[in-house]
Amino acid sequence: MSIQIEITLNGKLKKLEVGPTQSLLSALRDGAKAKEVKDGCSDGDCGVCTVIMDGKAVNSCLVLAPSADGTEITTLKGLGTKENPSAMQEAFVNCGAIQCGYCTAGMVLSATAFLEKNPSPSRDEIREGMSGNLCRCTGYQKIVDAIDSAAKKQQ
Amino acid sequence: MSEVKYFRPRSYSEFTDLLGQLPTGFKTVAGTTDFIPAARRGAPYPTALLDISKLNEFQEIKEEGGRILIGAAVTMADLLESDLIIEKCSVLASAAKSLGSPLTRNRATIGGNIANASPSADTAPVLLTLDADVHLISNDGLTRQVPLTSFFKGYKITERGNDEIITGFSFTTPQSGIWSRFAKVGQRSGAAISVANMSVIIDREDNICHDIAVAFGAVAPVPLRAVSVEKAAKGKPFDNQFITDCCEAVQADISPISDIRGSADYRRHVAANILARALTDAFA
Ligand SMILES: Cc1cc2nc3c(=O)[nH]c(=O)nc-3n(C[C@H](O)[C@H](O)[C@H](O)COP(=O)(O)OP(=O)(O)OC[C@H]3O[C@@H](n4cnc5c(N)ncnc54)[C@H](O)[C@@H]3O)c2cc1C
């Protein structure tokens, strides 16, 4: 059974053919060629595949692709470009919050959705808000710094 | 696998029209935070998927005639942001807040948490102490309500028939002035499945425990009401003996196993400790 879905991907309408049990992660990477969405554990534990779906950060590996029909999805490419990065992207660069880079796409998207909800968080709230995204390099300190500085800049 | 049919009704009338057409062996899904990992571990795919995640009627939280009604597709994020739940049933908000990370909470539904029937399901002890009813509809359109206290039958076995869908939950709005707590012990906040969890609701005055409901999860094959604790506590004055009696009684209620998250012995200690702490705080 092949299912037609229509999503708004980074502001552009996109039609995709998906399977009933295909994940949104696979539909985005293989169907929509949105390779900026990374595949980590495929099990909802690491947060690498985070996208923002209708304003909420979710693990795209745990969403059924047909279930995303009609939704608005933002990936890292929807936040900004190299020339014109979002405040959060810039903060990650400036604070040295990136080492190997594998978790970064998910981190920046989670952090962006988190600040929408909580524009002036404490450092503890940042840690709690980011608890679904794992990083094996930075020790999180600089990631928290980056989110903190993006929050302060927004005010 | 490619034979799996997929249905996603967008309105209640579409849902009821669909019921009769569902093939035997269909499965209801919502947030798929349990369904997808289970499938990855080899759980067989059903004949069809009924996706209820876009059904407005199942996403409602409301109060009617002194009862709180929560739709099956209400997510943990919805619960912990609901003014009604925060004001009138904070113990459920606190369980919702403890489940997984924000990423999981944005998807994980209350219906999925109960239907999946993991012994460690974090909303289960809370709904047990609230004396919640589970609302079910079968694919022939028949509805019924089952008390959650008789819903869990054995490890991952429930009263729900294969052709039945959970539509929601309801319970009497807790009185204002009651004391309540959800407690959870896990290995890491953010992604921790409970080693033990507990919900306590107490109606107390001065030093007397008038009424009490206690439930535990992850310390038996099913989430359960701690009936021996309740019996030991009801009507009694709070003192050291009260704590000792309750912590002794809890050992008769639970039957923990050893697994990767903790030993049976550790779980017995943890259950007594979180209970003792809650009772002490309730009467402080
Ligand atoms: C990283 C991670 C962390 C987690 N942490 C926790 C935790 O701390 N505490 C905890 O309790 N759980 C945890 N979980 C488990 C899971 O998120 C919850 O159990 C969640 O509430 C399941 O809801 P869902 O909507 O995703 O269910 P789904 O995956 O959609 O469904 C789960 C099961 O229930 C059935 N089902 C779903 N809805 C219905 C319905 N309305 N009627 C009949 N059957 C239905 C499905 O057929 C399936 O068998 C975690 C999961 C992940 C991936």
Side-chain angles (χ1 to χ4, degrees):
Chain A
M1 185 178 175
S2 161
I3 304 158
Q4 269 255 344
I5 66 163
E6 209 172 84
I7 57 172
T8 308
L9 179 60
N10 298 327
K12 288 201 192 89
L13 216 59
K14 196 125 206 164
K15 285 196 170 90
L16 295 171
E17 292 274 330
V18 300
T21 60
Q22 192 180 357
S23 71
L24 175 62
L25 168 62
S26 132
L28 288 173
R29 279 183 62 84
D30 305 330
K33 302 288 175 231
K35 301 284 188 189
E36 71 276 19
V37 186
K38 299 300 174 196
D39 185 0
C41 68
S42 289
D43 226 18
D45 284 323
C46 76
V48 161
C49 68
T50 303
V51 299
I52 301 174
M53 186 166 126
D54 287 341
K56 288 180 174 161
V58 301
N59 286 307
S60 62
C61 71
L62 292 190
V63 176
L64 287 179
S67 193
D69 186 28
T71 61
E72 263 182 50
I73 291 168
T74 305
T75 70
L76 192 70
K77 281 195 175 159
L79 294 182
T81 59
K82 206 169 172 184
E83 294 71 38
N84 195 10
S86 75
M88 189 63 74
Q89 286 174 313
E90 202 160 51
F92 266 66
V93 172
N94 291 343
C95 295
I98 302 160
Q99 284 190 26
C100 88
Y102 206 75
C103 73
T104 306
M107 283 286 175
V108 172
L109 286 157
S110 252
T112 303
F114 169 69
L115 278 200
E116 283 285 319
K117 280 234 158 115
N118 188 350
S120 48
S122 67
R123 287 181 77 90
D124 280 350
E125 285 168 345
I126 294 175
R127 284 183 179 274
E128 206 291 316
M130 297 299 293
S131 58
N133 295 79
L134 305 186
C135 172
R136 301 289 80 170
C137 308
T138 61
Y140 300 103
Q141 214 51 261
K142 305 242 161 127
I143 291 172
V144 178
D145 290 348
I147 299 167
D148 192 35
S149 87
K152 291 191 171 121
K153 207 162 167 188
Q154 271 180 20
Q155 281 156 31
Chain B
M1 180 180 134
S2 52
E3 294 303 302
V4 182
K5 290 201 173 72
Y6 177 85
F7 302 99
R8 188 173 71 152
R10 283 153 205 261
S11 65
Y12 195 71
S13 62
E14 235 182 273
F15 169 75
T16 46
D17 287 349
L18 193 69
L19 283 177
Q21 305 163 34
L22 291 167
T24 26
F26 80 91
K27 216 168 188 185
T28 310
V29 285
T32 57
T33 60
D34 275 319
F35 174 78
I36 291 181
R40 273 174 57 79
R41 282 175 187 75
Y45 280 113
T47 54
L49 293 171
L50 171 66
D51 184 341
I52 59 159
S53 65
K54 265 284 169 335
L55 260 173
N56 285 337
E57 281 77 1
F58 291 178
Q59 290 174 309
E60 282 177 351
I61 305 174
K62 59 188 177 191
E63 190 180 20
E64 257 172 36
R67 283 178 78 77
I68 292 179
L69 299 140
I70 300 173
V74 164
T75 65
M76 297 303 128
D78 296 335
L79 285 174
L80 66 95
E81 284 165 17
S82 152
D83 289 336
L84 177 64
I85 299 299
I86 293 168
E87 274 163 35
K88 300 202 167 163
C89 194
S90 61
V91 64
L92 183 56
S94 107
K97 178 114 216 237
S98 85
L99 188 148
S101 70
L103 299 174
T104 311
R105 297 199 285 267
N106 279 338
R107 299 281 306 164
T109 65
I110 189 165
N113 198 228
I114 296 302
N116 193 54
S118 162
S120 63
D122 282 322
T123 64
V126 176
L127 291 174
L128 281 169
T129 51
L130 290 165
D131 278 318
D133 287 330
V134 186
H135 299 223
L136 297 161
I137 189 166
S138 70
N139 61 351
D140 53 14
L142 292 177
T143 60
R144 62 179 181 131
Q145 294 182 18
V146 183
L148 189 64
T149 46
S150 53
F151 186 73
F152 299 115
K153 294 287 187 200
Y155 179 71
K156 292 223 164 192
I157 302 167
T158 71
E159 171 66 26
R160 184 180 70 81
N162 285 335
D163 56 354
E164 282 184 308
I165 298 144
I166 298 179
T167 57
F169 305 88
S170 68
F171 50 85
T172 305
T173 306
Q175 299 162 250
S176 59
I178 52 121
W179 187 93
S180 66
R181 165 169 302 168
F182 173 76
K184 167 171 175 172
V185 176
Q187 288 172 326
R188 168 186 179 266
S189 75
I193 303 300
S194 291
V195 172
N197 56 21
M198 175 194 72
S199 174
V200 181
I201 300 179
I202 301 179
D203 177 8
R204 76 237 188 278
E205 208 183 334
D206 301 323
N207 223 20
I208 307 291
C209 174
H210 287 309
D211 204 0
I212 182 168
V214 184
F216 281 92
V219 290
V222 293
L224 48 80
R225 279 283 285 264
V227 287
S228 316
V229 175
E230 293 174 2
K231 212 167 137 203
K234 223 168 267 181
K236 302 278 166 54
F238 176 81
D239 54 19
N240 283 338
Q241 192 57 45
F242 177 88
I243 301 264
T244 310
D245 291 347
C246 289
C247 290
E248 233 170 71
V250 76
Q251 303 305 335
D253 288 324
I254 65 177
S255 50
I257 55 158
S258 298
D259 66 13
I260 47 161
R261 283 183 278 275
S263 68
D265 198 41
Y266 174 65
R267 286 190 155 97
R268 287 196 176 276
H269 277 98
V270 164
N273 287 352
I274 54 181
L275 178 63
R277 206 174 301 150
L279 296 174
T280 309
D281 291 348
F283 290 94

